[in-house]
Amino acid sequence: MNIMFVHLRNVGGVAGGLEKVVCQFANEMVSRGHAAAIVIYDDSGKPPYYRLDERVKLINIRERRSEPHRMGLMTKLGREWARCRGQVEAWYETYRAPYILPSLKEVYAEFQSDVILNQYYTSSGFVYDSKPDCPVINMLHNEPERILNSASSREREGIARSAVVQVLLPNFARYIKEKMPETSCICMPNIVKPYDQMADLAEERENRIILHVGRLDKSHKQQHLLIQAFARVADKYPQWNVEFWGSGNETYKKELLQMISKLHLEHRVFLRGATHEILQKYMNADIFAFPSAYEGFGLALTEAMSAGLPVIGYKSCRACSDIIKDGETGLLAEDGVKGLAEKLDILMGDQKMRIEMGRCARKDMERFAPEKIWDQWEKVINLVVSNKLVM
């Protein structure tokens, strides 16, 4: 079977969860005997950050009809006017259509796709307008309500007319079924890699680590809240430090560094940058803190749990409340600095609780075992292609 993944964004050097998922997915499908291609729209000039099987075709359609590197003044003014009206997504659809649509039609003909898996909602309108002659599965990697509120009318139409919409968590499936009752929807979580090693939370060591892994993002990942919460308990626990792993917004990074300095935590809180050695970071940690406002799934969260770490997240974040079993695999905090600090205080002060929650978290992640999820995906794809999927 020929499976095409459409991801009309940069993948070169991008260490995001979505890019990790598409590379893993394509690699798994070629290992199962299928042909796979990833169609991107990339101007980075860099290879993918994550390993990609050499059998997977990487097709960069930006190289076929490259849009101008610089916009003219009137074009920029039109874009900013659309942004002011909250219509920038629709503006980009119109602006990029002459470059993207013909190229998409070409790769459809060349690859002879049996099914298309659209990876990001901003591509859904382009995929719909290019009229592929095979079924389309639109994958929603974030909260559907947030996606549909941000999407242009064309993107929403492309999603609604999918053969199937895939969401990551049960809460999200209920939302789609309510808002798009005529659209088939499946709940299919991401895989969680089972690590051979487990963090030794009973080990005696000079310093304890609260770990966070994720892109630096103020409104989404909210790393500043973890710094402020830690500041409230730092004097009580002088042997504890916080480590942030991940790159991201440089302006926000400077803001975080200024906050760390103002709170006199320069020797306690560290922004470490990106890493390919993430398992070692989990192994060296004692608690995984995840103060996101929202998530589609939370790959770093589930990876940390698989490594045997107790976790803390916000109760209001639907992904956290779906994945973290409060009081069993971790703790769910009320919104804000105070709520997060209270949960940090509980876990930092109770090693026995950390050990037991870490053990339960690792066991609980077996429900997302790769073989189980990939088998389900292969079954769904076969049923969609044969038009036998019954919802």
Side-chain angles (χ1 to χ4, degrees), residues 125-148:
F126 292 121
V127 172
Y128 177 64
D129 280 343
S130 58
K131 296 180 172 55
D133 57 0
C134 64
V136 176
I137 299 174
N138 265 294
M139 302 171 68
L140 303 188
H141 293 272
N142 214 318
E143 292 185 0
E145 182 176 3
R146 190 171 294 272
I147 288 173
L148 295 179

Side-chain angles (χ1 to χ4, degrees), residues 156-270:
R156 287 194 295 271
E157 186 171 2
I159 293 168
R161 294 181 179 274
S162 311
V164 178
V165 170
Q166 176 253 344
V167 295
L168 293 164
L169 296 167
N171 271 330
F172 302 160
R174 287 189 283 272
Y175 181 84
I176 289 294
K177 288 173 182 176
E178 176 187 341
K179 297 298 181 180
M180 296 180 170
E182 302 301 318
T183 304
S184 296
C185 179
I186 59 169
C187 179
M188 190 78 73
N190 286 328
I191 70 162
V192 179
K193 183 178 180 180
Y195 292 119
D196 295 333
Q197 303 175 56
M198 179 178 177
D200 184 0
L201 303 182
E203 180 185 9
E204 293 300 323
R205 39 187 156 175
E206 184 177 350
N207 293 111
R208 299 286 179 187
I209 295 174
I210 299 167
L211 178 69
H212 177 277
V213 176
R215 182 182 71 258
L216 298 180
D217 187 297
K218 187 173 185 176
S219 62
H220 180 188
K221 303 293 186 179
Q222 304 186 133
Q223 284 90 349
H224 60 285
L225 295 180
L226 177 53
I227 295 172
Q228 292 170 331
F230 177 70
R232 294 193 174 202
V233 297
D235 289 345
K236 185 177 179 180
Y237 301 100
Q239 77 276 27
W240 284 79
N241 296 328
V242 180
E243 290 190 357
F244 292 93
W245 288 91
S247 56
N249 185 286
E250 287 298 319
T251 301
Y252 183 45
K253 181 179 179 179
K254 291 178 182 177
E255 183 180 328
L256 293 177
L257 289 171
Q258 290 171 354
M259 178 182 292
I260 292 167
S261 177
K262 184 177 180 179
L263 294 169
H264 307 294
L265 294 173
E266 299 95 327
H267 303 295
R268 307 282 303 276
V269 178
F270 306 95

Side-chain angles (χ1 to χ4, degrees), residues 2-4 37 107-116 133-135:
N2 292 351
I3 304 172
M4 177 177 287
V107 297
Y108 295 158
E110 293 164 9
F111 189 66
Q112 295 293 300
S113 311
D114 294 300
V115 63
I116 292 171
D133 57 0
C134 64

